[in-house]
C-alpha cells in the first residue's frame, strides 16, 4: 500500500496559452517535470531532468516556454527556455543562470521575462525584466526586502509587489510604474495585514486582493488606482475568501476557505453575485490557503485551469469552461486508480487556556493498533489543509489513528488565532500538543502509544514536544526540523533570516528567549527515540540542525537514526528517496508504538 500511495502521480496546473494549451507539473516519472496538454487532451512531455522543475509559463505570441528549476533541492532557481517547435523532447537552454543565487520566474511576456533575483546582496530581491531577443536587462525594483509575489497589470503599465513586512504574518503592497520605476506605497510596512491572491481588473484600473486589513478574516477587496481607495467586494465574517478575475470582465472565480477546505464558485464581477458553485468532490482544496495552486484564466476568459486535491484525491489539474460550467479532470490515459481511503473527521480539542484547537482525525484503515501519530504542519503560519498526503494515508494503513492539528499560530482560523504563538508565546503552541495528548482517550487511543511526526516547523514542534513534554511521547519523526531557533537563524539563508526573525525573535535582542524555546537547550530531558530525515542541500533549515540534535542524543544513549539525502533540499521530492526514507520511518513507529510503555 505504501509504495502504491507514494507512487500515485500528481498534476499541477501552471499556465494556459491563447489556443487553450495547458502547462502542468507532472511527477509520474518520479520527479516533477513540465508537460503540455493540448486542447484535445493529448499530452507531451517537455522536460526530463534528474531534478524537479518548479514552475513554467508560455511566452505569449510564440512557442517558447520559460522553465524555473533548481538542482538538488537547493531552491536556487535558474531560468531556462524551451522551443516547442523542436520535435520530440525540446532542449532546455539556459536563459538566466547564476547558480549562487535565486533567480525565480515571475511572468513571461511577449518578448521578455520578469524574474526576481537576490544576486545583488543575497538578501534583498530585485525585480528584473530580461529581453529575450537581446538579453538586455532592466531593473524595475531594487528597493529592498523579500518580494514574495509580483502581479503585473494587463496593460503592463504597473506591477504590484507583495513584500514580507516588518510585522509577523503580514504583507506590504507596493505599486511600481514600469516606465518610470516610481514606487507607490499601498499598505504601510508596519501594518498588521496579510494580503494575497492579487488579481488585476482587465482594464488595469485596479485590482482585487484577499486581505484581513482591519478585520479578523480574509475578505475580497478592490483597490482603485485613480482614487487610491479601497472598497469591499466580498466579505464573510466566518470564512476567508479570495478571488481571481476573468479577462472577459464579466466573471470572477471565488475561493472560500473553511476548516481546511477550499471550494470554488463562479461569481459575476460587477456585483459579486454568485452564479454557480464548481461541482468538485466535497472536502478538498481547489487552492491551498489561497496562496498556492491558484486558478489561471485563459486569455479570453472562456475557461479556467486549477488544481484540486483532497485526502482521497491526489492533486489533479482541472479545466472549467465558463459558458457550460463543464469540469474536466486532466489526467494521463494510463493514470492508475486511487485506492479507497478514509476522509478525516473535523474535531476540536480543549487546550490549557480554554482555547479550542482544530484537528482532523484520520481513522485506521488497517488493523487498529490503538496508537496515535500527531502529524504537525510546517510554517508556522501555514495550516494543515484537507489535501493529499501519502504519509498520512500510509500511517492509517499501518493501523495508527492520525491526528492532524492546527495549533495556535496556524492560518485559516482568523487573525487572532495565528498571532497566538508569536515570539514569547512560541511555547504555547507546544502546550497545545500536551492538550491533544490528554484528549486522545476520548477517540479510543492509548496515550502511552502516541508519537509526534512533522516537517520543517512541524519538525521543531516534534523536537519541542519530546524536549518539553518528555513523559508524554513514545517516539518522534522529525523531517527537516529546527533543533535550535538560535542556530537556525544564524545558519539559514540570509534572505530567509531577514523575514523569519520577525516571527521567532531577533538574534540581536532575543537570544535568551530563542535559547529557552529551543529543543536543543533541553536535549538532556529527551528520552523518546527519534527518527530524523534531512536533505543535504536544505537552504531553509540547514542540515546542521539535524546533525546537532542526533549527535547530542547519541552522546546520551537515546536511540536516534539520521537519514541524509545528498540530492534533496527542504523535504523529499524524489520518489526514489521517499520510497527509501518513509518505509524506514514507518517501521520505526511500528516498533516503538507496538506496545504500551
Amino acid at each position: 500500500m505504501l509504495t502504491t500511495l507514494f507512487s500515485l502521480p500528481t498534476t499541477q496546473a501552471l499556465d494556459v496559452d491563447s489556443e487553450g494549451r495547458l502547462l502542468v507539473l507532472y511527477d509520474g516519472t518520479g520527479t516533477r517535470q513540465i508537460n503540455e496538454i493540448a486542447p484535445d487532451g493529448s499530452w507531451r512531455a517537455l522536460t526530463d531532468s534528474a531534478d524537479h522543475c518548479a514552475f513554467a509559463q508560455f511566452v505569449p505570441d510564440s512557442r517558447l516556454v520559460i522553465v524555473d528549476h533548481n538542482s538538488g533541492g537547493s531552491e536556487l532557481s535558474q531560468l531556462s527556455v524551451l522551443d516547442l517547435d523542436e520535435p520530440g523532447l525540446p532542449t532546455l537552454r539556459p536563459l538566466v543562470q547564476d547558480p549562487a543565487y535565486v533567480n525565480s520566474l515571475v511572468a513571461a511576456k511577449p518578448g521578455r521575462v520578469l524574474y526576481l533575483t537576490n544576486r545583488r546582496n543575497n538578501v534583498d530581491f530585485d525585480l528584473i525584466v530580461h529581453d529575450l531577443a537581446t538579453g538586455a536587462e532592466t531593473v524595475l525594483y531594487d528597493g529592498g526586502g523579500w518580494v514574495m509575489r509580483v502581479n503585473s497589470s494587463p496593460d503592463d503599465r504597473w506591477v504590484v509587489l507583495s513584500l514580507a513586512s516588518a510585522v509577523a504574518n503580514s504583507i506590504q503592497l507596493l505599486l511600481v510604474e514600469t516606465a518610470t520605476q516610481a514606487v507607490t506605497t499601498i499598505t504601510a510596512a508596519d501594518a498588521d495585514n496579510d494580503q494575497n491572491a492579487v488579481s488585476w481588473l482587465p482594464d488595469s484600473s485596479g485590482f482585487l486582493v484577499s486581505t484581513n486589513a482591519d478585520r479578523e478574516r480574509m475578505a475580497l477587496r478592490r483597490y482603485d488606482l485613480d482614487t487610491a481607495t479601497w472598497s469591499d467586494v466580498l466579505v464573510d465574517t466566518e470564512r476567508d475568501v479570495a478571488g481571481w478575475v476573468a479577462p472577459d470582465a464579466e466573471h470572477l472565480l471565488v475561493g472560500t476557505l473553511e476548516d481546511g477546505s477550499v471550494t470554488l464558485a463562479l461569481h459575476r464581477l460587477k456585483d459579486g453575485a454568485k452564479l454557480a458553485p464548481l461541482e468538485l468532490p466535497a472536502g478538498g482544496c481547489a487552492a491551498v490557503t489561497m496562496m498556492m495552486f491558484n486558478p489561471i484564466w485563459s486569455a479570453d476568459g472562456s475557461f479556467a485551469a486549477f488544481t484540486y486535491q483532497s485526502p482521497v484525491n491526489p492533486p489533479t489539474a482541472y479545466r472549467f469552461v465558463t459558458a457550460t460550467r463543464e469540469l474536466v479532470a486532466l489526467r494521463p490515459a494510463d493514470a492508475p486508480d486511487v485506492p479507497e481511503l478514509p476522509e478525516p473527521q473535523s474535531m476540536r480539542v480543549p487546550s490549557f487556556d480554554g482555547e479550542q484547537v482544530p484537528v482532523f482525525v484520520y481513522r485506521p484503515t488497517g488493523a487498529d493498533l490503538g496508537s496515535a501519530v500527531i502529524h504537525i504542519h510546517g510554517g508556522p503560519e501555514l495550516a494543515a489543509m484537507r489535501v493529499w498526503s501519502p504519509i498520512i494515508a500510509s500511517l492509517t494503513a499501518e493501523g495508527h489513528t492520525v491526528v492532524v492539528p492546527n495549533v495556535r499560530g496556524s492560518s485559516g482560523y482568523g487573525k487572532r488565532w495565528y498571532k497566538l504563538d508569536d515570539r514569547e508565546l512560541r511555547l504555547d503552541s507546544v502546550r497545545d500538543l500536551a492538550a491533544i495528548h490528554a484528549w486522545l482517550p476520548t477517540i479510543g487511543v492509548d496515550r502511552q502509544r502516541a508519537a509526534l511526526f512533522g516537517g520543517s516547523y512541524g519538525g521543531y514542534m516534534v523536537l519541542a514536544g519530546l524536549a518539553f513534554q518528555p513523559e508524554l511521547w513514545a517516539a518522534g519523526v522529525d523531517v527537516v526540523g529546527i533543533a535550535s531557533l538560535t542556530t537556525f537563524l544564524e545558519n539559514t539563508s540570509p534572505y530567509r533570516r531577514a523575514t523569519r526573525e520577525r516571527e521567532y525573535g531577533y538574534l540581536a535582542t532575543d537570544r535568551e528567549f530563542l535559547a529557552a524555546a529551543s529543543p536543543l537547550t533541553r536535549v538532556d530531558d529527551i528520552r523518546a527515540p527519534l527518527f530524523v530525515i534531512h536533505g543535504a542541500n536544505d537552504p531553509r533549515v540547514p542540515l546542521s540542525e539535524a546533525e546537532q540534535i542526533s549527535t547530542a542524543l547519541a552522546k546520551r544513549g537515546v536511540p536516534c537514526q539520521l537519514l541524509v539525502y545528498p540530492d534533496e533540499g527542504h523535504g523529499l521530492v524524489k520518489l526514489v528517496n521517499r520510497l527509501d526514507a518513509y518505509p524506514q520511518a514507518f517501521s520505526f513507529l511500528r516498533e516503538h508504538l507496538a506496545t504500551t510503555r
Side-chain angles (χ1 to χ4, degrees):
M1 173 67 89
L2 181 152
T3 300
T4 297
L5 291 169
F6 277 92
S7 300
L8 287 169
T10 68
T11 308
Q12 177 185 341
L14 298 177
D15 195 21
V16 298
D17 74 359
S18 59
E19 296 183 24
R21 301 181 186 93
L22 181 65
L23 286 180
V24 299
L25 275 179
Y26 177 67
D27 62 1
T29 61
T31 58
R32 297 173 192 157
Q33 302 299 320
I34 309 299
N35 281 244
E36 181 185 50
I37 304 177
D40 65 3
S42 59
W43 284 59
R44 178 189 179 189
L46 301 182
T47 62
D48 184 19
S49 170
D51 286 299
H52 79 278
C53 299
F55 187 44
Q57 281 193 340
F58 290 109
V59 177
D61 305 327
S62 77
R63 285 293 283 154
L64 301 179
V65 168
I66 308 300
V67 179
D68 181 320
H69 55 101
N70 66 73
S71 178
S74 68
E75 299 182 10
L76 296 172
S77 298
Q78 307 299 309
L79 303 183
S80 296
V81 61
L82 298 170
D83 184 347
L84 302 194
D85 284 336
E86 289 184 27
L89 190 72
T91 302
L92 198 63
R93 293 186 171 86
L95 182 69
V96 178
Q97 302 282 314
D98 196 348
Y101 301 103
V102 177
N103 303 283
S104 58
L105 175 62
V106 167
K109 300 283 187 175
R112 64 198 187 282
V113 172
L114 277 66
Y115 72 97
L116 289 166
T117 180
N118 66 343
R119 65 181 176 230
R120 176 166 54 87
N121 60 13
N122 206 27
V123 175
D124 299 308
F125 281 84
D126 301 338
L127 178 60
I128 310 294
V129 179
H130 181 98
D131 187 286
L132 288 173
T134 67
E137 296 197 333
T138 303
V139 177
L140 287 188
Y141 172 81
D142 60 359
W146 186 359
V147 182
M148 306 186 77
R149 290 180 293 279
V150 179
N151 297 88
S152 181
S153 64
D155 64 3
D156 290 328
R157 183 181 174 187
W158 310 96
V159 291
V160 172
L161 307 183
S162 300
L163 277 75
S165 67
V167 181
N169 306 311
S170 296
I171 297 292
Q172 180 187 21
L173 297 181
L174 301 179
L175 182 69
V176 180
E177 187 173 24
T178 58
T180 65
Q181 290 83 60
V183 178
T184 302
T185 299
I186 299 177
T187 59
D190 59 354
D192 186 11
N193 303 330
D194 195 9
Q195 334 256 10
N196 56 56
V198 172
S199 181
W200 279 92
L201 298 171
D203 64 0
S204 300
S205 64
F207 56 85
L208 305 188
V209 64
S210 180
T211 175
N212 61 9
D214 304 319
R215 50 176 39 105
E216 180 70 11
R217 289 288 186 167
M218 303 290 286
L220 186 60
R221 306 196 74 202
R222 171 176 173 161
Y223 182 80
D224 184 83
L225 267 63
D226 287 341
T227 62
T229 57
W230 290 94
S231 57
D232 289 342
V233 177
L234 287 172
V235 178
D236 188 327
T237 59
E238 301 298 322
R239 302 163 188 84
D240 291 348
V241 294
W244 300 273
V245 181
D248 63 7
E250 295 182 8
H251 296 102
L252 174 70
L253 272 181
V254 173
T256 302
L257 167 61
E258 182 176 16
D259 199 24
S261 180
V262 178
T263 57
L264 282 181
L266 186 67
H267 287 238
R268 195 162 48 224
L269 177 60
K270 67 178 181 180
D271 58 8
K274 185 175 181 178
L275 300 177
L278 272 63
E279 299 295 340
L280 292 160
C285 291
V288 180
T289 65
M290 263 72 103
M291 292 186 294
M292 298 168 58
F293 296 88
N294 289 339
I296 310 143
W297 282 102
S298 63
D300 60 0
S302 63
F303 74 92
F306 61 90
T307 305
Y308 172 82
Q309 60 180 308
S310 78
V312 300
N313 296 284
T316 302
Y318 276 77
R319 187 191 303 266
F320 171 69
V321 181
T322 311
T324 63
R325 313 292 199 260
E326 180 187 19
L327 268 175
V328 179
L330 303 172
R331 301 186 182 95
D334 59 351
D337 293 333
V338 181
E340 187 172 341
L341 298 169
E343 296 273 8
Q345 180 183 3
S346 183
M347 305 180 78
R348 295 294 185 270
V349 176
S351 197
F352 65 94
D353 56 357
E355 297 285 355
Q356 299 287 312
V357 181
V359 299
F360 306 135
V361 178
Y362 292 76
R363 302 289 183 173
T365 54
D368 191 342
L369 300 177
S371 57
V373 177
I374 317 303
H375 190 279
I376 312 156
H377 70 76
E381 71 282 0
L382 300 179
M385 302 289 287
R386 295 175 182 265
V387 295
W388 175 250
S389 173
I391 293 174
I392 292 173
S394 295
L395 287 169
T396 63
E398 290 273 313
H400 308 296
T401 295
V402 181
V403 178
V404 182
N406 275 307
V407 297
R408 66 193 68 207
S410 304
S411 59
Y413 295 88
K415 184 187 294 187
R416 186 190 70 86
W417 185 249
Y418 75 54
K419 292 180 73 65
L420 286 180
D421 73 335
D422 285 356
R423 306 285 285 279
E424 67 277 0
L425 301 177
R426 177 67 43 211
L427 292 178
D428 283 354
S429 61
V430 182
R431 296 175 73 183
D432 285 340
L433 297 180
I436 293 169
H437 184 274
W439 167 85
L440 288 174
T442 68
I443 58 171
V445 170
D446 181 353
R447 284 187 298 182
Q448 292 188 314
R449 287 190 284 157
L452 299 172
F453 194 127
S456 192
Y457 179 77
Y460 163 82
M461 291 288 285
V462 169
L463 298 177
L466 300 188
F468 291 94
Q469 302 155 359
E471 72 284 357
L472 300 185
W473 307 106
V477 177
D478 158 30
V479 183
V480 298
I482 301 168
S484 166
L485 294 174
T486 304
T487 57
F488 157 67
L489 290 172
E490 288 173 338
N491 298 320
T492 190
S493 297
Y495 68 92
R496 289 190 173 275
R497 182 184 310 115
T499 58
R500 301 320 283 172
E501 283 186 309
R502 65 183 186 154
E503 172 73 26
Y504 296 114
Y506 291 85
L507 289 169
T509 57
D510 300 312
R511 277 187 177 269
E512 184 176 349
F513 165 72
L514 292 169
S518 294
L520 192 63
T521 303
R522 299 280 291 268
V523 70
D524 287 347
D525 293 332
I526 296 178
R527 56 180 186 243
L530 179 67
F531 193 92
V532 183
I533 301 169
H534 219 103
N537 305 318
D538 193 339
R540 305 188 196 184
V541 179
L543 176 58
S544 54
E545 292 298 300
E547 291 172 333
Q548 63 185 349
I549 193 70
S550 59
T551 298
L553 291 177
K555 287 180 179 179
R556 294 184 51 249
V558 176
C560 180
Q561 183 175 353
L562 170 62
L563 298 183
V564 178
Y565 291 87
D567 56 349
E568 296 279 12
H570 194 61
L572 304 184
V573 298
K574 296 183 178 180
L575 179 60
V576 63
N577 294 333
R578 291 160 69 86
L579 291 180
D580 180 71
Y582 289 115
Q584 295 184 64
F586 297 153
S587 177
F588 165 85
L589 289 173
R590 195 180 309 123
E591 175 187 353
H592 293 289
L593 299 183
T595 59
T596 299
R597 288 179 292 163

